[in-house]
Amino acid sequence: MTECNQALTIEHAGMVMAWANTDNGLMQSTFNTERQLRTKVPPIPAPSFELAIAGIPYGHSPALISGLTRLPEAMKLISYSADAEKLFMAYKHEALGLKVETEMRFVPGSAVIRQSTVVTNEGSSPVVLTHLSSMCVQGIASDGALPWYDKRKVRVHYCRQTWNGEGQWRSGDLEELGLYPTSGHPSAAAVHFSSVGSWSTGKLLPMAVLEDLETGKAWYWQIETSANWHMEIGHRGSWSEDSGAIFIHADGADERFGGWSKELLPGESCRAVPAAFGCVDGSFADAIRELTAYRRYLTRELHGTLPPAPVVYNDYMNTLWGDPSRDKLAPLIAAAAAAGCEYFCIDAGWFGDLGSSWASGLGDWLPSRNRFGDEGLEALLASIRHTGMKPGLWLELEVCGEDAALAAKPDEWFIRRYGIRAGGGPRWFLNFGHPDVCAYAHGVIDRLMRMGVRYIKNDYNLCIGTGDDTGGRAAADGLQQAMRDFYRFIDEVKCRHPELILENCASGGMRADYEALARFHLQSSSDQEDYRKYPSIIGGSLAAILPEQLGIWAYPYPLLHSELANPASIEEPGYLRTMEDGEQTIFNLVNGLCGSLYLSGHLHLADETNRGLIAEAVALYKKERAYISRSHPIWPLGFTRMNDEEGWASVGLVSPDRSRILLSVWRLGSGSEYRILPLERWRGRKATVNLLYPGEGYSVESSYSANTGQLTVRLPKPYQARLFDIRFEVLE
């Protein structure tokens, strides 16, 4: 920290954040990687938060922009302190009695700052908050010769999501995304990304990267909430002079984006959802490297004494499809154990009787009376333990079906809106703010633990919607509280049962934010059942989720959902012959080796060749998972779009010292047998390239040139995949 002419500069991990001295005290002005920053035009300092209350004009263009509220400009700095770990600042609006405190923590080992913001009503009258930001950072991409709006300067990277189609990154310049100057007045335009409801990653990821193509720098951020969120890129300009710069803003509390508001009585406080942000010299990949390091710091105590990234077999995807029984499970258990799996998770259906629709009975979580023979589910779980694996079960802890006995509980047990339980049919949503609900759910988990369960897959197959308006509060505020209540319950579960592994799933990746992932050991990447489409999802998801947390399905011998009416089809000689060359199994396992290997499929039908390929991949994964848990991703071919069936795809996992890459390469439906993969950052460094998986009998041509920094790979058939081990000479 340095002070010069009563200004403040904070430096951390190559980042430089500056505050200017104003009549109201220190206000944040620039955020860059250069200490001696030359800006094209002077920035406009402002506090690192935005705030609005009912009855006070919002600010500039309130219908269009969130990041230009009026109240912060009238607040004065009353105290601040800084050390090597954090910066604390407190601002106050004397007339209204509102105090805002921000704490920026400098994350060790990464170019990331994590901000928390709290507003307190120190006045004598209630106030109604209508906006509270999680972060607002000024002075973005303010250096260089090009004006901020030039199409050649700024590129914004963001990620679209949908069911079965997660991780679809896109990019655009500011103008095409919605931010551009229109006159001599400050711009009323902005780039907006937002989500409403508890499927926080159902449409977009709550993160973005802004790249300055002119100066070779990148800014990045993520907001950590499973409730509503909103991100904005705008321009803070002047009415009277040529000044201003781009700002980035994020919040989980905005009346205009989700209907949030909250009354604060005198003495009460409100805490914003946290956000993390940073900047780095480099590009998108460098930004993700820093966010990956930050996420590891955030989850550093997640596993305790549990082994990270275990090999899990789950019986659902392309296998039993929620219809388990003792007879169906027995060969799968034996095959999974033989392959080297460490956990065996029985997915949906274990609680419903054969011949019945179990969906409307969610919530009671009692074992089926007729699926598992006379000895029942507990004996089957014991048989899993006898193979050396640990048993797991699927739950949807947060819901209750209308036919469950649990449905008879009072309405206070449930999330409500308009006085009516939110949801309906198979899924009403439980209120984990009610102590009896928490006690009930703890009782369920305690009982399953006594039965030997050591793995729970918690699914979440419906979105609450706008939230819970019980007691007259804004539904959006109720939603935020509902998520906090549930995660407090999850924290309690982990304290009670430190030997239990928890997987987060929401129809795949529909709730994959880091409010959730700071608590769950594993995240389901997708419900995608076509292995050929998975590389697109894997590549994009690795930018948002730690590889060791990203559960990636690998399902050899799949029974697709469209073939459920003819389950015997996968045992027909014609089908089995299509599997003989092993290439479909290899493709599946290369998918899984990019993150946390998550097996399914009819492994017991595998012939000797395919059994060997499965066991080889599992053994390799166990050998490399410690490396995977230290690596960060790269994309030599960029991101592959979901329906790009004519191309290739590639993802690399790079060591911290950049001396090694585990490189997955997929030929999709491309008509070309050859693909050149640029590894430009390693240009000039000699390397050895070895085919890591599969092994003997599956060699392919490859050639690396240190002069060009390019790897050429030949895969002679469509829909082939290989995993390469690239090791570079260590530079002195």
Side-chain angles (χ1 to χ4, degrees):
M1 179 185 76
T2 61
E3 292 184 71
C4 181
N5 297 325
Q6 297 183 321
L8 175 69
T9 300
I10 296 290
E11 299 184 46
H12 170 67
M15 302 180 295
V16 182
M17 181 172 273
W19 281 257
N21 197 41
T22 72
D23 291 342
N24 286 342
L26 294 171
M27 300 288 173
Q28 193 261 317
S29 57
T30 60
F31 184 47
N32 207 286
T33 60
E34 293 187 31
R35 201 172 192 287
Q36 301 298 323
L37 187 64
R38 293 186 177 183
T39 60
K40 185 174 179 64
V41 297
I44 299 176
S48 55
F49 61 89
E50 297 296 333
L51 175 70
I53 66 172
I56 300 293
Y58 185 92
H60 177 54
S61 300
L64 306 175
I65 303 176
S66 291
L68 297 177
T69 57
R70 177 173 294 181
L71 278 179
E73 298 174 0
M75 300 182 80
K76 292 186 177 182
L77 180 72
I78 57 173
S79 67
Y80 80 93
S81 62
D83 55 34
E85 296 181 351
K86 64 183 181 299
L87 169 68
F88 172 85
M89 287 185 157
Y91 294 82
K92 189 165 184 180
H93 194 293
E94 290 294 343
L96 296 172
L98 287 174
K99 181 175 71 174
V100 176
E101 298 168 296
T102 64
E103 182 181 86
M104 295 184 182
R105 288 202 164 265
F106 314 130
V107 179
S110 67
V112 172
I113 296 169
R114 190 172 195 252
Q115 180 171 328
S116 60
T117 304
V118 178
V119 57
T120 301
N121 181 4
E122 294 186 341
S124 57
S125 302
V127 296
V128 176
L129 303 176
T130 59
H131 182 83
L132 178 61
S133 68
S134 298
M135 54 166 272
C136 191
V137 183
Q138 321 297 323
I140 304 301
S142 58
D143 53 339
L146 293 173
W148 64 270
Y149 51 82
D150 192 290
K151 286 177 172 289
R152 295 165 293 179
K153 185 169 181 64
V154 170
R155 195 90 182 156
V156 177
H157 306 273
Y158 61 98
C159 188
R160 296 200 176 278
Q161 297 261 115
T162 190
W163 182 51
N164 288 329
E166 295 85 347
Q168 301 302 296
W169 282 87
R170 301 290 185 264
S171 65
D173 62 56
L174 291 176
E175 181 172 345
E176 65 183 290
L177 294 176
L179 174 59
Y180 42 86
T182 56
S183 66
H185 304 303
S187 177
V191 178
H192 297 278
F193 304 106
S194 63
S195 173
V196 173
S198 53
W199 268 13
S200 55
T201 56
K203 295 180 180 178
L204 292 159
L205 287 179
M207 64 172 292
V209 176
L210 185 152
E211 193 172 353
D212 187 335
L213 303 176
E214 180 192 12
T215 62
K217 301 170 185 177
W219 289 258
Y220 39 91
W221 61 97
Q222 70 177 38
I223 186 164
E224 296 163 8
T225 178
S226 295
N228 298 353
W229 58 263
H230 166 241
M231 305 187 305
E232 178 179 276
I233 304 167
H235 183 267
R236 185 182 295 274
S238 170
W239 290 89
S240 59
E241 58 186 14
D242 186 15
S243 61
I246 295 170
F247 67 84
I248 53 177
H249 166 278
D251 70 74
D254 194 326
E255 186 178 46
R256 283 110 15 94
F257 291 90
W260 181 89
S261 64
K262 185 177 182 68
E263 183 181 46
L264 279 190
L265 299 177
E268 289 185 336
S269 297
C270 176
R271 179 177 293 274
V273 298
F277 59 91
C279 63
V280 69
D281 288 329
S283 62
F284 178 89
D286 299 286
I288 300 304
R289 180 193 66 226
E290 297 303 321
L291 283 170
T292 299
Y294 161 68
R295 292 163 186 155
R296 289 213 171 96
Y297 178 81
L298 189 66
T299 59
R300 64 195 181 281
E301 298 178 356
L302 179 61
H303 286 85
T305 59
L306 288 169
V311 183
V312 179
Y313 181 93
N314 180 295
D315 69 16
Y316 184 82
M317 184 62 69
N318 287 333
T319 311
L320 300 187
W321 290 109
D323 189 24
S325 69
R326 181 185 62 182
D327 293 343
K328 291 178 181 178
L329 286 166
L332 296 175
I333 292 169
C341 295
E342 296 162 311
Y343 288 80
F344 189 101
C345 182
I346 302 172
D347 208 279
W350 60 269
F351 42 84
D353 288 345
L354 287 169
S356 66
S357 175
W358 47 256
S360 61
L362 300 176
D364 292 340
W365 309 121
L366 298 173
S368 169
R369 294 167 295 183
N370 60 4
R371 286 184 179 271
F372 306 112
D374 294 338
E375 296 180 330
L377 176 63
E378 193 162 355
L380 184 67
L381 298 178
S383 73
I384 293 172
R385 290 198 304 275
H386 292 156
T387 68
M389 298 185 293
K390 296 179 181 180
L393 291 175
W394 177 96
L395 296 174
E396 264 192 85
L397 275 168
E398 295 156 86
V399 302
C400 167
E402 61 184 12
D403 292 336
L406 181 63
K409 295 296 183 180
D411 282 347
E412 289 75 17
W413 279 49
F414 298 89
I415 301 293
R416 285 168 290 160
R417 195 161 56 250
Y418 316 118
I420 304 168
R421 297 180 183 185
R427 291 176 177 88
W428 285 313
F429 293 91
L430 291 167
N431 171 21
F432 279 82
H434 195 297
D436 291 345
V437 172
C438 292
Y440 174 83
H442 276 308
V444 170
I445 293 177
D446 291 348
R447 171 166 49 83
L448 297 180
M449 292 293 292
R450 290 193 296 270
M451 294 171 63
V453 170
R454 293 297 180 267
Y455 184 102
I456 286 177
K457 174 182 177 179
N458 185 60
D459 214 335
Y460 190 72
N461 286 306
L462 194 65
C463 174
I464 288 177
T466 55
D468 185 343
D469 62 6
T470 304
R473 62 184 170 183
D477 184 53
L479 175 63
Q480 197 175 97
Q481 187 60 50
M483 295 297 99
R484 287 171 172 163
D485 291 338
F486 177 65
Y487 292 133
R488 183 173 59 249
F489 166 78
I490 290 296
D491 290 340
E492 293 171 359
V493 169
K494 289 163 61 182
C495 287
R496 289 164 72 116
H497 305 293
E499 68 275 36
L500 178 65
I501 287 184
L502 296 171
E503 175 191 346
N504 187 50
C505 182
S507 293
M510 300 292 95
R511 187 175 65 173
D513 59 83
Y514 266 87
E515 184 179 18
L517 289 179
R519 294 165 170 86
F520 284 87
H521 304 97
L522 195 67
Q523 171 64 48
S524 175
S525 56
S526 184
D527 279 355
Q528 177 57 247
E529 62 195 80
D530 186 342
Y531 70 95
R532 297 168 299 182
K533 291 183 178 293
Y534 228 126
S536 172
I537 295 169
I538 293 167
S541 297
L542 282 170
I545 301 170
L546 288 172
E548 62 268 29
Q549 278 187 296
L550 185 65
I552 302 172
W553 290 104
Y555 28 66
Y557 291 81
L559 175 68
L560 299 180
H561 196 272
S562 58
E563 298 295 325
L564 273 178
N566 184 24
S569 62
I570 59 170
E571 300 185 51
E572 294 174 356
Y575 174 84
L576 296 176
R577 280 195 296 273
T578 67
M579 299 293 293
E580 288 177 353
D581 65 0
E583 291 294 348
Q584 186 180 136
T585 294
I586 293 166
F587 197 113
N588 265 286
L589 271 301
V590 170
N591 288 350
L593 287 165
C594 293
S596 189
L597 180 58
Y598 201 76
L599 276 169
S600 194
H602 294 80
L603 305 188
H604 62 293
L605 298 180
D607 58 23
E608 183 178 357
T609 295
N610 283 279
R611 282 198 305 274
L613 288 167
I614 295 166
E616 178 189 353
V618 171
L620 176 63
Y621 173 75
K622 291 178 179 178
K623 179 182 177 182
E624 296 292 352
R625 62 183 161 192
Y627 172 88
I628 292 170
S629 298
R630 298 190 303 271
S631 67
H632 63 270
I634 60 168
W635 302 268
L637 299 176
F639 291 111
T640 301
R641 295 200 173 191
M642 173 62 61
N643 293 307
D644 181 8
E645 298 180 356
E646 301 301 318
W648 290 58
S650 181
V651 167
L653 296 175
V654 182
S655 63
D657 65 359
R658 297 175 58 212
S659 66
R660 186 186 183 204
I661 307 174
L662 286 184
L663 187 69
S664 297
V665 181
W666 298 269
R667 177 183 169 185
L668 304 177
S670 173
S672 175
E673 297 182 8
Y674 293 91
R675 192 65 165 95
I676 296 174
L677 295 98
L679 301 171
E680 295 173 357
R681 296 196 177 196
W682 288 266
R683 186 174 180 175
R685 293 177 64 177
K686 295 179 180 179
T688 58
V689 179
N690 292 305
L691 179 63
L692 194 59
Y693 178 80
E696 187 175 351
Y698 290 94
S699 63
V700 295
E701 292 180 62
S702 65
S703 175
Y704 175 75
S705 169
N707 291 335
T708 62
Q710 293 179 338
L711 174 68
T712 303
V713 173
R714 176 178 180 254
L715 296 179
K717 299 177 182 178
Y719 298 107
Q720 286 186 303
R722 295 294 187 268
L723 177 64
F724 295 92
D725 182 6
I726 306 176
R727 297 180 186 250
F728 295 91
E729 65 176 356
V730 178
L731 299 177
E732 297 296 334

